[in-house]
Amino acid sequence: MAPTFVESKLARLTVDISAPVAHIVLSHAPLNVIDIPMMDEIAQVHEEIETRSDVSVIVLSGEGKAFSAGVDVVAHTPDKVEAMLNKFHAVVRTLVASKKVTVAAVRGHCLGGGAELAMVCDIVYTVASAQWGFPEIKLGCYPPVACTALAALVGQKRAAELILTGRTISGTEAAATGLATRAVTDGELTATVDRTVQDLLRLSPAALAVTKKAFYAWDAMHFDKGLARAEKIYLEELMKTADAHEGIRAFMEKREPKWTGK
């Protein structure tokens, strides 16, 4: 029998399912880096939540001072990268396809895969001082989910700048560009999320689920195809370059990369 998560502290997550709300907290100190065990736990927990008709809202947040600094760089090495992408993209796809309304609450670092998890949620509240970004290019890599979906949120030119430069932006700018729904002060974040959750709970769960399906119908078709294509290019082209391997090695060895353009 599959485990039931009501209020649980797992290795990488803290889960509190108090119907009709499920709280999933990324709990991997100090920066809630998303490694493969965390991906497995998110998939396991989300699978149960989706089967529960008494849950209509999922709140996703990070423990401590960070949402998430991104996917574990160690998982990008040649022997692990394909399994990592498959698992991480499966988590993203389940969030995108979720029948529940997903709300992200962002503090501190929200980078790389962490920013990708947040950006695919329906409603995203961020602390104004949070740090958002997609720094993969600095490792000689790229963020497949952002390459697929970011332009639809912020526009092609802004998305290109963020992905191609790896520039970090504040929560204020993330909200201004459409990457987040609203930026608030640190002291306002919890209350803002709670107000929205209460508003959602006054509505029909069935209507919300069907409305989500209709709202994302067009984007969902393109997202699935686009992410599959971005993943294929990542594995078959990017990971065959010397620079991608050099970028990962340099990060792990805490040195500046030496690019060869090959």
Side-chain angles (χ1 to χ4, degrees):
M1 178 181 289
T4 298
F5 304 97
V6 177
E7 187 171 351
S8 306
K9 180 70 170 93
L10 306 177
R12 297 289 189 266
L13 302 177
T14 300
V15 182
D16 180 6
I17 302 178
S18 300
V21 183
H23 289 269
I24 301 176
V25 184
L26 309 182
S27 304
H28 186 197
L31 294 174
N32 302 322
V33 167
I34 304 166
D35 57 8
I36 288 178
M38 183 186 283
M39 296 176 199
D40 288 338
E41 288 185 3
I42 295 173
Q44 190 178 18
V45 169
H46 195 270
E47 182 179 3
E48 184 198 332
I49 291 172
E50 283 300 307
T51 66
R52 293 188 52 161
S53 60
D54 60 336
V55 173
S56 57
V57 178
I58 298 172
V59 178
L60 183 64
S61 62
E63 187 176 79
K65 296 181 179 180
F67 181 80
S68 172
V71 172
D72 186 10
V73 174
V74 174
H76 288 73
T77 55
D79 58 322
K80 300 182 181 73
V81 65
E82 184 169 2
M84 179 276 290
L85 283 182
N86 287 338
K87 285 179 179 289
F88 183 63
H89 292 167
V91 167
V92 170
R93 285 185 171 98
T94 60
L95 278 175
V96 169
S98 178
K99 295 178 182 178
K100 319 301 181 183
V101 178
T102 53
V103 181
V106 175
R107 283 188 173 90
H109 294 289
C110 186
L111 304 172
E116 290 178 319
L117 275 189
M119 67 178 263
V120 300
C121 290
D122 300 312
I123 300 169
V124 182
Y125 296 122
T126 177
V127 167
S129 61
Q131 299 174 32
W132 287 75
F134 304 92
E136 285 86 346
I137 197 69
K138 297 177 181 179
L139 302 182
C141 301
Y142 66 79
V145 175
C147 283
T148 303
L150 185 59
L153 296 176
V154 305
Q156 188 184 69
K157 298 307 180 189
R158 287 191 178 119
E161 181 196 23
L162 290 172
I163 291 169
L164 296 178
T165 69
R167 182 170 75 89
T168 299
I169 62 175
S170 68
T172 299
E173 187 172 352
T177 60
L179 180 53
T181 306
R182 190 187 314 163
V184 297
T185 67
D186 188 88
E188 293 172 327
L189 182 62
T190 299
T192 300
V193 171
D194 288 347
R195 279 195 300 271
T196 294
V197 168
Q198 291 306 310
D199 288 343
L200 291 167
L201 297 184
R202 296 186 184 97
L203 306 172
S204 158
L208 287 171
V210 175
T211 301
K212 275 195 61 171
K213 183 176 181 179
F215 183 77
Y216 293 116
W218 179 255
D219 287 339
M221 291 187 293
H222 294 280
F223 180 79
D224 286 340
K225 292 178 181 177
L227 185 56
R229 180 65 174 160
E231 187 176 305
K232 179 180 173 68
I233 293 170
Y234 196 105
L235 294 173
E236 296 182 2
E237 297 183 37
L238 179 72
M239 292 311 296
K240 291 182 179 179
T241 67
D243 279 354
H245 299 297
E246 166 62 10
I248 300 301
R249 279 196 305 269
F251 181 89
M252 294 171 65
E253 294 169 7
K254 296 180 171 58
R255 62 174 173 81
E256 289 294 318
K258 298 176 181 177
W259 308 122
T260 63
K262 297 178 182 179

